Amino acid sequence: MRKIAFINQKGGVGKTTSTANVGACLTMFRKKVLLIDLDPQANLSIHLGINAHNSDLSIYQIISGKRSPDEVLVKTAIKDLDLIPSTIELASAEIELVNTVGRETIVKFYLGDLIDKYDYVLIDCPPSMGLLTLNALTIVNEIFIPLQTEYFALQGVSKLIQTFDIVKKRLNDSLEITGIIPCLYDSRTKLGQEILEKIKEYFADKVFNTTIRKNVKLSESPSHGMPIIAYAPDSNGARDYTALTKEIIAQEESELNTEGEEASRFKEHAFK
Ligand SMILES: Nc1ncnc2c1ncn2[C@@H]1O[C@H](COP(=O)(O)OP(=O)(O)O)[C@@H](O)[C@H]1O
Ligand SMILES: [Mg+2]
């Protein structure tokens, strides 16, 4: 089971698009996936066709103790893709949680064992390093950083790494950065290629081989409430996110291999 937060304190870099589409693609490979929308803007929920029409279901109700996770959990139109949605109400949590005991682990506390029922839990974070993002970082043990392959891509990244180091030291020693996703890539421009090279210099083998190209279908799909594999399965966007998802699953297999024979025997058993 893997728990991954998609973080970057910059907005517009591809966090939500990647969370929604990696999540949907994972289900094509028979993974059971839970998506958690931790952004008060609720873009992920809207992207998956939830809360676009005034539903009041929100993770905010879970962390304020008003509803159980099961009551808030929704099934999306994609089989095996469940979602804990967000609404703008969540914005007040950043302030309300400040004086709460265990404020960085409150979301984890209230989610309880719900997350244990999935193969993958993916968390879409807001574009800030506030309390909601810190909460995400105490739930997961992996971080994916989507980066827009444009001039300011690496600006702010050192701050992000600093936050990661502090959280790892003080709150969650199992936390690792396990993937950098180059998003909104335009291979026709020299700048795009140069920035991609810079990203690879900085993050070395953490950068996925797949780059997510700029693709108009990817920008259209949220307004139709569908992930790209449902909205435009023949688009470059669908191809890129499928390729990325295969790489993500391959990480899982290479991890199992390093855990030795015991793990592979278990795997064989699990597929019987
Ligand atoms: N590869 C892409 N090609 C075209 N548009 C994209 C692509 N990735 C994201 N977008 C669009 O760019 C905007 C920002 O992406 P989003 O995933 O919402 O970023 P973030 O969650 O980091 O703020 C959205 O309008 C989204 O539809
Ligand atoms: Mg977003």
Side-chain angles (χ1 to χ4, degrees):
M1 177 207 184
R2 294 176 71 184
K3 294 172 280 185
I4 308 164
F6 290 64
I7 70 166
N8 190 330
Q9 73 273 34
K10 269 189 205 210
V13 297
K15 288 184 291 297
T16 303
T17 308
S18 298
T19 313
N21 289 305
V22 168
C25 286
L26 280 167
T27 66
M28 293 197 306
F29 299 95
R30 303 201 180 175
K31 304 290 181 187
K32 210 167 156 18
V33 181
L34 174 66
L35 302 179
I36 301 177
D37 192 349
L38 258 194
D39 185 353
Q41 302 299 323
N43 290 351
L44 178 67
S45 309
I46 295 164
H47 197 145
L48 293 161
I50 313 292
N51 280 0
H53 306 290
N54 299 327
S55 157
D56 71 337
L57 290 175
S58 172
I59 189 159
Y60 179 71
Q61 295 153 347
I62 301 176
I63 60 182
S64 52
K66 290 183 194 142
R67 276 181 167 153
S68 70
D70 283 330
E71 287 174 305
V72 175
L73 184 82
V74 293
K75 298 212 171 295
T76 71
I78 307 268
K79 185 175 172 283
D80 286 337
L81 186 66
D82 293 352
L83 170 75
I84 297 192
S86 158
T87 55
I88 192 68
E89 268 186 306
L90 184 63
S92 49
E94 290 270 8
I95 301 151
E96 289 167 16
L97 289 181
V98 167
N99 293 317
T100 305
V101 176
R103 59 192 176 175
E104 293 97 351
T105 51
I106 205 94
V107 180
K108 182 185 167 130
F109 174 80
Y110 277 111
L111 285 176
D113 57 9
L114 175 82
I115 54 179
D116 301 332
K117 295 173 189 159
Y118 293 87
D119 300 313
Y120 278 80
V121 176
L122 309 182
I123 306 183
D124 186 25
C125 293
S128 69
M129 280 297 158
L131 262 181
L132 289 169
T133 298
L134 288 179
N135 266 275
L137 296 184
T138 61
I139 296 170
V140 301
N141 39 30
E142 293 183 60
I143 290 175
F144 284 177
I145 307 175
L147 291 174
Q148 188 172 2
T149 46
E150 291 194 349
Y151 186 64
F152 290 113
L154 290 169
Q155 188 204 40
V157 160
S158 58
K159 172 92 183 105
L160 203 163
I161 305 291
Q162 237 174 8
T163 308
F164 157 74
D165 284 338
I166 294 172
V167 172
K168 187 172 166 68
K169 213 179 286 169
R170 299 189 194 156
L171 293 169
N172 180 2
D173 64 1
S174 70
L175 199 61
E176 297 295 343
I177 297 169
T178 50
I180 307 298
I181 311 173
C183 290
L184 289 137
Y185 182 59
D186 187 347
S187 61
R188 292 166 305 178
T189 68
K190 196 151 180 282
L191 184 65
Q193 294 164 18
E194 281 172 9
I195 302 295
L196 186 60
E197 284 314 307
K198 283 226 162 65
I199 291 171
K200 286 180 178 164
E201 265 168 41
Y202 194 97
F203 285 105
D205 59 356
K206 289 198 192 301
V207 185
F208 286 110
N209 292 321
T210 307
T211 48
I212 307 298
R213 288 167 285 182
K214 270 191 188 155
N215 178 247
V216 70
K217 295 285 180 204
L218 278 172
S219 58
E220 288 168 9
S221 60
S223 63
H224 296 266
M226 279 189 259
I228 194 72
I229 48 162
Y231 175 67
D234 286 330
S235 62
N236 280 341
R239 273 188 277 280
D240 290 349
Y241 274 108
T242 304
L244 175 64
T245 302
K246 281 187 188 162
E247 270 195 72
I248 293 169
I249 292 172
Q251 285 182 321
E252 173 192 329
E253 277 150 14
S254 65
E255 221 164 80
L256 278 174
N257 288 339
T258 57
E259 278 167 22
E261 270 183 39
E262 208 42 44
S264 57
R265 240 183 283 136
F266 172 73
K267 212 173 106 201
E268 270 169 30
H269 175 75
F271 280 110
K272 267 180 196 149

